Every structure is written in structure tokens, then in C-alpha cells.
Amino acid sequence: MSQGTTLITGASSGLGARFALAVAAQGQDVILVARRADRLAQLARTIKDRHGVAADVVASDLAVPGAPAKLIAEIGKRGLAVNTLINNAGFGARGAFVEIDRALQARMIDLNCRALMELCHAVLPGMIQMGSGGILNVASTAAFQPGPWMTVYYATKAFVLSFSEGLHEEAKGQGVRVSALCPGPTRTEFAEVAAMGDSALFKRFASDPEGVVKDGLKALAANKAVKISGAMNGVMAESIRLTPRGMARRIAGSLQKARQG
């Protein structure tokens, strides 16, 4: 018997695919969302064969205006309900702000922030009505300080963290759990897309994705507002509060800046 249905965005690879496998192992049906339909179909087959739960696939580019609403409409058309939402879709880009394509950075805001907010707004009323449900928003340790040479990405994750904490307070008295997961650099495809693989930050502190997923699901089950994944990441994130902002900016920038020469 199904333990409910979890909607996972960015499910075609990295943390998203691992979240899907983890919740399926718990007996939950899944709705897999990402742009790459072929990868989603392959993952759905794996989930069905391995765990015997339902795995629906919806190919969607959530950065496109109106896409989240179309996704929710498609889910309703299929007669499905969302008991848990894992907002994992997102991407970053590394480099000087003025040198990164403007449309790419606007797309980053649309995906990392707007789509995440719209999906929360779409599913939360039903969860409140049922008096149960959960939302896990994937933020980042980048949320805790500015990030020169990944300026827009860091800003989007600051939004996700602040938004999630506010939503946590609004929803906790209504039976709905909301958590923000803040991983540090993680060994997934994200690092390749963001051109982070050669950064000092990634090389020094990258974590394994399985531990991040475990931390996120455990935090959501406990309705923990914020979970920083990894002991060292936790120490670093908390230390930012005691660090002068100017120094925090310079440290983050020195870790992210592309190698010169």
C-alpha cells in the first residue's frame, strides 16, 4: 500500500534522482519532474522494478513562465495528489556577474526562486486542508553569505532559505511540515553545470549526495526548519554569523573565483 505521493523536481539526476529512489524505498509513489524525459523514464522504470511503487513522469522546464501551473494541472488531470513536495530543481553559474549572460541569470532566478514559490503556493492549500503534508526546499550553505563570482546563485539560495523559514512558521500549526535543506558543495552533475569542479570550495568540501538526501528526509520528518548537511558545513555556516560581512564576502569570493592564468 502506498505511503502517499511525493513530487520531486529536478529528478533526472543528482540529488533529485537520489531523493526519488529514497522516498520510493519508503513505499511512497513518486512524480518525477525535469526537462529530460528520457532520463526520467529510465529512473521511473528503475523505481518500479526495485520498489514496486508508482512512478509518474512529467517532462517540464520549470524555468518557463507558466510551467509550474501547467505541471499542477497535469498532475490533477492524472488524478494524482501531492502529499510531499521536494523542490530540488535549480542551477548555478560561476563567473563575474557582468560576464554571465543576462538571460541565463534571469532563468536562474525563475527556476531557483519563482518556480519553487509557485509550486509551494499550489500544493500548500490542499495540505492545509488535509492537515498533513511536507515541503522540502533545497537551499544551500550559499544562503548564509554573499557569494562574489556566483552572485546571483548565492542570492537565489538566500531567498529559498528565508522563504522556507517563513513558510515553516506559517504552516507548522496546521499539520504541514516545511524544511530548508542546506547542503554544501556536493558531488553531483550540478557542479559541472555551474563550472565549479575546479573551484577550491568544491575540491575542499564536496560531500557525497547520499548523506545529503538522508539529512533532508530526516529533517523533513522531524519538521526541522533548517538543516545544514554535514558537520563541517554546519560549523562554517554558523561561523558566518560571527564573521564581519566584509570578510565573509572576501572569503567566499576567493573560494569561488575562477583560476586566473
Side-chain angles (χ1 to χ4, degrees), residues 19 35 49 124 134 137 219 246 248:
F19 271 120
R35 290 180 299 164
D49 292 343
L124 188 56
N137 291 327

Side-chain angles (χ1 to χ4, degrees), residues 145-208:
Q145 70 279 313
W149 287 277
M150 284 192 82
T151 297
V152 173
Y153 174 74
Y154 273 56
T156 65
K157 291 306 181 178
F159 169 84
V160 173
L161 177 59
S162 179
F163 170 75
S164 300
E165 288 192 86
L167 203 60
H168 171 89
E169 288 300 315
E170 292 186 25
K172 70 179 183 180
Q174 303 181 75
V176 181
R177 294 162 284 114
V178 180
S179 300
L181 174 63
C182 298
T186 306
R187 295 183 184 92
T188 66
E189 193 174 283
F190 173 92
E192 299 173 18
V193 174
M196 286 176 59
D198 67 340
S199 73
L201 183 68
F202 186 83
K203 288 185 174 181
R204 292 180 192 175
F205 303 116
S207 301
D208 290 323

Side-chain angles (χ1 to χ4, degrees), residues 10-168:
S12 61
S13 64
L15 290 178
R18 288 171 173 85
F19 271 120
L21 289 165
V23 299
Q26 296 174 354
Q28 299 178 43
D29 295 335
V30 294
I31 303 171
L32 309 174
V33 180
R35 290 180 299 164
R36 294 173 290 191
D38 55 339
R39 288 199 181 188
L40 293 178
Q42 183 178 0
L43 178 60
R45 287 192 295 270
T46 298
I47 286 172
K48 291 174 184 176
D49 292 343
R50 190 178 298 177
H51 303 295
V53 299
D56 279 77
V57 168
V58 182
S60 176
D61 183 353
L62 292 173
V64 175
K70 290 180 181 177
L71 168 61
I72 295 300
E74 177 62 25
I75 290 171
K77 189 184 300 182
R78 298 187 189 186
L80 303 172
V82 177
N83 304 106
T84 303
L85 168 64
I86 299 179
N87 268 316
N88 168 75
F91 73 96
R94 184 161 67 98
F97 171 73
V98 296
E99 295 175 0
I100 302 174
D101 180 70
R102 186 188 310 163
L104 178 70
Q105 297 191 83
R107 176 180 171 81
M108 193 190 310
I109 294 170
D110 283 339
L111 182 60
N112 295 11
C113 301
R114 180 187 52 76
L116 177 145
M117 177 277 295
E118 289 188 7
L119 288 175
C120 288
H121 196 269
V123 303
L124 188 56
M127 293 179 179
I128 291 174
Q129 186 176 16
M130 295 297 294
S132 66
I135 297 173
L136 179 63
N137 291 327
V138 179
S140 169
T141 53
F144 294 95
Q145 70 279 313
W149 287 277
M150 284 192 82
T151 297
V152 173
Y153 174 74
Y154 273 56
T156 65
K157 291 306 181 178
F159 169 84
V160 173
L161 177 59
S162 179
F163 170 75
S164 300
E165 288 192 86
L167 203 60
H168 171 89

